[in-house]
Amino acid sequence: MMRVFERPESLTEKQMHYCPGCTHGIIHRLTAEAIDQLGIREKTIGVASVGCSVFAYDYFNCDMQQAAHGRAPAVATGIKRVLPDRVVFTYQGDGDLASIGTAEIVHAAARGENITVIFVNNAIYGMTSGQMAPTTLLGQKTTTTPRGRTVHDNGYPIRMSELLATLDGAAYIERVSTHDPKHVMQAGKAIKKAFTMQLEGRGFALVEVLSTCSVNWGLSPQEALEWMRDNMVPYYPLGVFKDVTREEEQA
Amino acid sequence: MAKVLMKGNEAIAEAAIRAGCRAFYGYPITPQNEIPNYMALHLPERGGVYLQAESEVSAINMVYGAAGCGVRVMTSSSSPGISLKAEGISYIAAAELPCVIVNVMRCGPGLGGIHPSQGDYFQAVKGGGHGDYRLIVLAPGSVQEMADLTFEAFDLADKWRNPVMVLADGLLGQMMEPVEFIDREPQMVPKPWATTGAEGRKPNIINTLDIVPESLEKRNYALAEKYARIADEETRWQEYKIEDADLIIAAYGTSARAARSAVDMAREKGMRVGLIRPISLWPFPSAPFAEAADGTRQFLVVEMSMGQLIEDVRLAVNGRGVVHFINRLGGMVPTPPEIYSKIEAILQGGEVQ
Ligand SMILES: Cc1ncc(C[n+]2csc(CCOP(=O)(O)OP(=O)(O)O)c2C)c(N)n1
């Protein structure tokens, strides 16, 4: 009999704490599969951030550091600069990366830091009970925008991938989604590519993964996937925003 | 080895490289700029990494990352920058990562000024960041000690898996004095806990989160126990003419230099005055003060801050002696004649507190 499905070696056996309908677990798995496929588990150092994925250090079966809120790109820089032949990745939410940690992510990208960033955008602060995130959509209700986010009060949601893609140091930036199996497959490919870029020494690679937070969105798991598809994907278009390998081919 | 004439800040940088520092992450701020400048010039050619971070917040988190990999790493800054590093310092202490943090103090609060001060005493020895943690804090009093204590700071950091702060000030950083570098190998220790890639072993995790109260309480007690052992083994101070003294001055760093001259001036006039100079500010050398406080002596605290060191001296003296106070602020440095006048007023004028 052939095994067609098993736990990636790069995930521990620890049971994940994520809520039903949350896609953090899927994104962990995609990340672990990429590490397995590239055979780099024993030379990978991951950096967990602060948010619902704060326990990622218990789930990834590789060396891990847990960083302060927003600081994962700085911690990853500190690691990568002293161990340039290791593979270093961060795993960050949108509050972590696009709000408190904007300086760190922008400058890591600007420096062309040779690291891989998995950026999980669920348009909300999950861990602290559903407050507005910098990526919360206009009109979206959160515990701190109880009447819906307005431009007047809160300004516009940030499109981080587009913003970071303007920086010369960025080698690869892609936005993917997890709202159906086809898109999950594409997300897996993008994550693997983001690690490959690092192995090739090309510089900063980031994959923004649109993700659900059914509990804080107040939706069932199925409804959450549909809401993501119908509301997030239009505002956060999927695709490749920067790929230096493509630019090379075209040149 | 021959002595070389160097600025205090440069002596710190050179001593760090000799101590095996292989990564420096910093952000410019006066009056410590000679440290990153020296590192940028010399560290790469001596096998290390120099990187200018986008902020002190980033710099200290880069230190966290590199320290977690087992590399000897340092950052330096001055007062406002140390405030920004406070969060990261708390994480580094909690994760028990060895590193060296230099604070070449300037005057505050706020943006303050760029002249020397000792206003960050509380920040350095009582916390600064959140939670129950301690830094080993070493206070050099000369360019020679800037070098020596920085070198030793790396060994202490590794020995105790604890961040060590070298607390200097703008005067010590900028002054030039002859210095001779410690002629021994740094004491490197194995770091099996470091995250270097889990090759043929279980993953290592550098972490400060523990949401189970019973478990976090244990962790806090374990840290406290470590801090108690550090206090036992690493407390340092220097005594100067205290044996027969009627008045003992307490001062560290730049203040202690002026205080020592004032002691000599007073001695020439036949007044029995001595000096206790704390070198480790944490752990604080309470013992020499407690011993001296036999009920017959008075004390005088000299500091470039508004009554910070004096709190630790009072705790050590514990009511068994009057504790007088003289200070300068805002970048002003106490002079020997000023301190001498105070001594005279206390011993001859019968000044009471
Ligand atoms: C300095 C600091 N500020 C605030 C917090 C509280 N906090 C914890 S998680 C979080 C939000 C995380 O949101 P996000 O990055 O979007 O991740 P998610 O929980 O949605 O996965 C906040 C504000 C903290 N831990 N540290």
Side-chain angles (χ1 to χ4, degrees), chain A residues 94-112:
Chain A
D94 45 84
D96 193 88
L97 181 143
S99 187
I100 196 168
T102 1
E104 284 76 8
I105 197 67
V106 165
H107 286 276
R111 286 191 302 265

PDB file of all heavy atoms in Angstrom, chain A residues 94-112:
ATOM      1  N   ASP A  94      -0.874  39.791  10.502  1.00  0.00           N
ATOM      2  CA  ASP A  94      -0.940  41.124   9.899  1.00  0.00           C
ATOM      3  C   ASP A  94      -0.790  42.231  10.936  1.00  0.00           C
ATOM      4  O   ASP A  94      -0.253  43.295  10.635  1.00  0.00           O
ATOM      5  CB  ASP A  94      -2.243  41.296   9.103  1.00  0.00           C
ATOM      6  CG  ASP A  94      -3.447  40.796   9.849  1.00  0.00           C
ATOM      7  OD1 ASP A  94      -4.002  41.555  10.667  1.00  0.00           O
ATOM      8  OD2 ASP A  94      -3.833  39.624   9.645  1.00  0.00           O
ATOM      9  N   GLY A  95      -1.235  41.990  12.170  1.00  0.00           N
ATOM     10  CA  GLY A  95      -0.988  42.995  13.209  1.00  0.00           C
ATOM     11  C   GLY A  95       0.505  43.084  13.466  1.00  0.00           C
ATOM     12  O   GLY A  95       1.084  44.167  13.576  1.00  0.00           O
ATOM     13  N   ASP A  96       1.117  41.924  13.530  1.00  0.00           N
ATOM     14  CA  ASP A  96       2.548  41.836  13.820  1.00  0.00           C
ATOM     15  C   ASP A  96       3.379  42.496  12.720  1.00  0.00           C
ATOM     16  O   ASP A  96       4.242  43.325  12.980  1.00  0.00           O
ATOM     17  CB  ASP A  96       2.920  40.351  13.943  1.00  0.00           C
ATOM     18  CG  ASP A  96       4.289  40.140  14.552  1.00  0.00           C
ATOM     19  OD1 ASP A  96       4.370  40.071  15.792  1.00  0.00           O
ATOM     20  OD2 ASP A  96       5.261  40.048  13.797  1.00  0.00           O
ATOM     21  N   LEU A  97       3.078  42.141  11.481  1.00  0.00           N
ATOM     22  CA  LEU A  97       3.933  42.573  10.366  1.00  0.00           C
ATOM     23  C   LEU A  97       3.545  43.938   9.813  1.00  0.00           C
ATOM     24  O   LEU A  97       4.411  44.730   9.433  1.00  0.00           O
ATOM     25  CB  LEU A  97       3.889  41.509   9.262  1.00  0.00           C
ATOM     26  CG  LEU A  97       4.734  41.759   8.004  1.00  0.00           C
ATOM     27  CD1 LEU A  97       5.332  40.452   7.493  1.00  0.00           C
ATOM     28  CD2 LEU A  97       3.923  42.434   6.893  1.00  0.00           C
ATOM     29  N   ALA A  98       2.223  44.217   9.777  1.00  0.00           N
ATOM     30  CA  ALA A  98       1.791  45.416   9.062  1.00  0.00           C
ATOM     31  C   ALA A  98       1.443  46.575   9.986  1.00  0.00           C
ATOM     32  O   ALA A  98       1.091  47.656   9.526  1.00  0.00           O
ATOM     33  CB  ALA A  98       0.579  45.074   8.186  1.00  0.00           C
ATOM     34  N   SER A  99       1.522  46.349  11.303  1.00  0.00           N
ATOM     35  CA  SER A  99       1.247  47.459  12.217  1.00  0.00           C
ATOM     36  C   SER A  99       2.460  47.715  13.112  1.00  0.00           C
ATOM     37  O   SER A  99       3.311  48.538  12.801  1.00  0.00           O
ATOM     38  CB  SER A  99       0.014  47.140  13.068  1.00  0.00           C
ATOM     39  OG  SER A  99      -0.345  48.266  13.832  1.00  0.00           O
ATOM     40  N   ILE A 100       2.593  46.935  14.169  1.00  0.00           N
ATOM     41  CA  ILE A 100       3.669  47.216  15.136  1.00  0.00           C
ATOM     42  C   ILE A 100       5.043  46.941  14.539  1.00  0.00           C
ATOM     43  O   ILE A 100       6.035  47.544  14.940  1.00  0.00           O
ATOM     44  CB  ILE A 100       3.442  46.423  16.445  1.00  0.00           C
ATOM     45  CG1 ILE A 100       4.293  46.972  17.589  1.00  0.00           C
ATOM     46  CG2 ILE A 100       3.671  44.939  16.246  1.00  0.00           C
ATOM     47  CD1 ILE A 100       3.921  46.444  18.955  1.00  0.00           C
ATOM     48  N   GLY A 101       5.097  46.064  13.539  1.00  0.00           N
ATOM     49  CA  GLY A 101       6.398  45.684  12.980  1.00  0.00           C
ATOM     50  C   GLY A 101       6.661  46.227  11.590  1.00  0.00           C
ATOM     51  O   GLY A 101       7.471  45.678  10.838  1.00  0.00           O
ATOM     52  N   THR A 102       5.989  47.335  11.228  1.00  0.00           N
ATOM     53  CA  THR A 102       6.190  47.860   9.862  1.00  0.00           C
ATOM     54  C   THR A 102       7.636  48.269   9.606  1.00  0.00           C
ATOM     55  O   THR A 102       8.176  48.003   8.543  1.00  0.00           O
ATOM     56  CB  THR A 102       5.293  49.090   9.572  1.00  0.00           C
ATOM     57  OG1 THR A 102       4.532  49.379  10.720  1.00  0.00           O
ATOM     58  CG2 THR A 102       4.381  48.829   8.425  1.00  0.00           C
ATOM     59  N   ALA A 103       8.248  48.920  10.578  1.00  0.00           N
ATOM     60  CA  ALA A 103       9.630  49.359  10.358  1.00  0.00           C
ATOM     61  C   ALA A 103      10.517  48.150  10.099  1.00  0.00           C
ATOM     62  O   ALA A 103      11.338  48.153   9.178  1.00  0.00           O
ATOM     63  CB  ALA A 103      10.142  50.140  11.559  1.00  0.00           C
ATOM     64  N   GLU A 104      10.347  47.115  10.908  1.00  0.00           N
ATOM     65  CA  GLU A 104      11.219  45.946  10.798  1.00  0.00           C
ATOM     66  C   GLU A 104      11.052  45.254   9.450  1.00  0.00           C
ATOM     67  O   GLU A 104      12.037  44.870   8.813  1.00  0.00           O
ATOM     68  CB  GLU A 104      10.935  44.952  11.938  1.00  0.00           C
ATOM     69  CG  GLU A 104      11.509  45.369  13.290  1.00  0.00           C
ATOM     70  CD  GLU A 104      10.726  46.468  13.987  1.00  0.00           C
ATOM     71  OE1 GLU A 104       9.636  46.840  13.512  1.00  0.00           O
ATOM     72  OE2 GLU A 104      11.207  46.974  15.013  1.00  0.00           O
ATOM     73  N   ILE A 105       9.808  45.103   8.987  1.00  0.00           N
ATOM     74  CA  ILE A 105       9.616  44.362   7.722  1.00  0.00           C
ATOM     75  C   ILE A 105      10.099  45.212   6.540  1.00  0.00           C
ATOM     76  O   ILE A 105      10.733  44.704   5.615  1.00  0.00           O
ATOM     77  CB  ILE A 105       8.147  43.890   7.535  1.00  0.00           C
ATOM     78  CG1 ILE A 105       8.083  42.801   6.464  1.00  0.00           C
ATOM     79  CG2 ILE A 105       7.199  45.012   7.156  1.00  0.00           C
ATOM     80  CD1 ILE A 105       8.748  41.511   6.850  1.00  0.00           C
ATOM     81  N   VAL A 106       9.798  46.514   6.577  1.00  0.00           N
ATOM     82  CA  VAL A 106      10.193  47.380   5.459  1.00  0.00           C
ATOM     83  C   VAL A 106      11.712  47.398   5.322  1.00  0.00           C
ATOM     84  O   VAL A 106      12.259  47.275   4.226  1.00  0.00           O
ATOM     85  CB  VAL A 106       9.637  48.810   5.644  1.00  0.00           C
ATOM     86  CG1 VAL A 106      10.326  49.791   4.697  1.00  0.00           C
ATOM     87  CG2 VAL A 106       8.125  48.827   5.414  1.00  0.00           C
ATOM     88  N   HIS A 107      12.409  47.500   6.458  1.00  0.00           N
ATOM     89  CA  HIS A 107      13.870  47.592   6.362  1.00  0.00           C
ATOM     90  C   HIS A 107      14.537  46.255   6.076  1.00  0.00           C
ATOM     91  O   HIS A 107      15.576  46.218   5.426  1.00  0.00           O
ATOM     92  CB  HIS A 107      14.437  48.294   7.589  1.00  0.00           C
ATOM     93  CG  HIS A 107      14.160  49.762   7.549  1.00  0.00           C
ATOM     94  ND1 HIS A 107      14.976  50.635   6.868  1.00  0.00           N
ATOM     95  CD2 HIS A 107      13.118  50.483   8.010  1.00  0.00           C
ATOM     96  CE1 HIS A 107      14.447  51.855   6.944  1.00  0.00           C
ATOM     97  NE2 HIS A 107      13.335  51.783   7.632  1.00  0.00           N
ATOM     98  N   ALA A 108      13.929  45.180   6.540  1.00  0.00           N
ATOM     99  CA  ALA A 108      14.474  43.866   6.169  1.00  0.00           C
ATOM    100  C   ALA A 108      14.368  43.705   4.656  1.00  0.00           C
ATOM    101  O   ALA A 108      15.298  43.235   3.988  1.00  0.00           O
ATOM    102  CB  ALA A 108      13.727  42.747   6.893  1.00  0.00           C
ATOM    103  N   ALA A 109      13.228  44.124   4.096  1.00  0.00           N
ATOM    104  CA  ALA A 109      13.041  44.031   2.645  1.00  0.00           C
ATOM    105  C   ALA A 109      13.984  44.984   1.913  1.00  0.00           C
ATOM    106  O   ALA A 109      14.617  44.613   0.921  1.00  0.00           O
ATOM    107  CB  ALA A 109      11.584  44.334   2.281  1.00  0.00           C
ATOM    108  N   ALA A 110      14.101  46.207   2.438  1.00  0.00           N
ATOM    109  CA  ALA A 110      14.953  47.201   1.773  1.00  0.00           C
ATOM    110  C   ALA A 110      16.417  46.753   1.750  1.00  0.00           C
ATOM    111  O   ALA A 110      17.133  46.987   0.777  1.00  0.00           O
ATOM    112  CB  ALA A 110      14.831  48.553   2.476  1.00  0.00           C
ATOM    113  N   ARG A 111      16.837  46.097   2.814  1.00  0.00           N
ATOM    114  CA  ARG A 111      18.215  45.598   2.856  1.00  0.00           C
ATOM    115  C   ARG A 111      18.411  44.374   1.977  1.00  0.00           C
ATOM    116  O   ARG A 111      19.518  43.893   1.795  1.00  0.00           O
ATOM    117  CB  ARG A 111      18.604  45.218   4.305  1.00  0.00           C
ATOM    118  CG  ARG A 111      18.854  46.373   5.248  1.00  0.00           C
ATOM    119  CD  ARG A 111      19.475  45.871   6.545  1.00  0.00           C
ATOM    120  NE  ARG A 111      18.649  44.876   7.212  1.00  0.00           N
ATOM    121  CZ  ARG A 111      17.773  45.129   8.177  1.00  0.00           C
ATOM    122  NH1 ARG A 111      17.611  46.357   8.617  1.00  0.00           N
ATOM    123  NH2 ARG A 111      17.073  44.164   8.723  1.00  0.00           N
ATOM    124  N   GLY A 112      17.305  43.831   1.491  1.00  0.00           N
ATOM    125  CA  GLY A 112      17.409  42.606   0.719  1.00  0.00           C
ATOM    126  C   GLY A 112      17.865  41.457   1.589  1.00  0.00           C
ATOM    127  O   GLY A 112      18.585  40.565   1.160  1.00  0.00           O
TER     128      GLY A 112
END
